[in-house]
Amino acid sequence: DLDNTICSTDKKIKKYSNIYCQEKQIDEEVLWTKDEYKQDFLRLYLEKIYKEAQLKQNCKKVLQELKKKNYKLLIITARRNKYLSVDMETFIYNYFKKRSIIIDGIILDAKDKVDACKEKKVDIMLEDSVYNYNLLKESNVNVVLFDEKNNSEIKQKITNWNQFLEYISKYVKRV
């Protein structure tokens, strides 16, 4: 996954949704429940949000270490080309390139991450969505839940990238 696992997208969404709501004089609830506002907000700010989203702490270090150990890094994301002035796949590759991280592939608009993981024979999937986490787990995909505010009910999760690296090290020893 990409948003809120590799990069902190929510922080930028919060920043720009506050600006937008002030400009339109609406509550944040209205922004996310009224389609006209939501579509307008995404059209105006989504590309900025994606450009400005920062990598999570130690993410770069861990991903670079995994590449040195010959792991393949595949981005499976629900992101799609809508609302952007550029091709999303190119955008993502450039995002990582600018940060000196080499990725091996991207699957966009992944509504069904289970199928994507099985098709690409993914060994470990990092996910922040409880919904996707449960689907992946039920389908016997090795999935790790990244701790975010919306998944507090799940006890087995990691809270940072160093823990993910530890998990991978333990997983490799078991396989």
Side-chain angles (χ1 to χ4, degrees):
D1 191 38
L2 183 56
D3 294 312
N4 301 313
T5 51
I6 291 175
C7 57
S8 299
T9 316
D10 274 356
K11 290 178 182 178
K12 294 298 174 183
I13 290 173
K14 186 70 176 157
K15 171 187 170 181
Y16 286 111
S17 66
N18 285 340
I19 292 168
Y20 183 84
C21 288
Q22 286 175 352
E23 288 172 355
K24 300 291 181 180
Q25 298 182 341
I26 59 170
D27 292 331
E28 193 169 349
E29 183 180 341
V30 173
L31 167 59
W32 300 116
T33 56
K34 296 274 187 187
D35 201 47
E36 66 189 79
Y37 287 117
K38 183 178 174 182
Q39 300 299 322
D40 187 46
F41 170 77
L42 293 172
R43 184 183 53 75
L44 291 171
Y45 291 107
L46 191 62
E47 194 166 330
K48 275 185 187 174
I49 290 165
Y50 286 161
K51 281 181 181 175
E52 294 177 17
Q54 298 294 309
L55 290 173
K56 295 263 188 180
Q57 186 175 11
N58 294 320
C59 174
K60 178 179 177 176
K61 180 187 83 164
V62 170
L63 292 177
Q64 288 175 331
E65 190 170 329
L66 292 172
K67 282 306 293 177
K68 283 180 191 169
K69 293 179 179 182
N70 293 318
Y71 284 87
K72 289 193 175 177
L73 302 178
L74 176 65
I75 305 298
I76 300 175
T77 179
R79 283 189 186 184
R80 56 189 186 186
N81 282 315
K82 194 172 182 180
Y83 306 113
L84 296 182
S85 64
V86 296
D87 174 68
M88 179 58 82
E89 189 169 340
T90 303
F91 181 89
I92 292 171
Y93 274 115
N94 288 338
Y95 179 89
F96 284 100
K97 186 178 180 181
K98 196 183 282 187
R99 289 154 180 82
S100 303
I101 300 170
I102 299 167
I103 58 172
D104 298 293
I106 300 168
I107 297 177
L108 295 175
D109 202 11
K111 292 177 184 77
D112 187 338
K113 291 186 178 181
V114 171
D115 285 346
C117 285
K118 289 189 175 194
E119 178 186 320
K120 295 295 183 178
K121 297 179 172 72
V122 170
D123 291 319
I124 301 172
M125 175 70 177
L126 181 60
E127 179 62 56
D128 69 306
S129 159
V130 172
Y131 175 78
N132 286 329
Y133 170 83
N134 287 329
L135 285 176
L136 290 159
K137 200 154 188 67
E138 289 166 11
S139 300
N140 295 317
V141 173
N142 186 3
V143 59
V144 177
L145 188 67
F146 199 92
D147 186 31
E148 284 293 321
K149 64 184 177 302
N150 63 342
N151 62 34
S152 58
E153 70 275 12
I154 306 290
K155 300 298 177 223
Q156 262 189 311
K157 57 189 169 190
I158 61 166
T159 58
N160 62 61
W161 275 88
N162 291 332
Q163 287 178 346
F164 184 60
L165 186 59
E166 288 173 28
Y167 177 87
I168 289 173
S169 298
K170 289 175 187 173
Y171 173 78
V172 170
K173 288 178 185 170
R174 288 195 318 241
V175 174

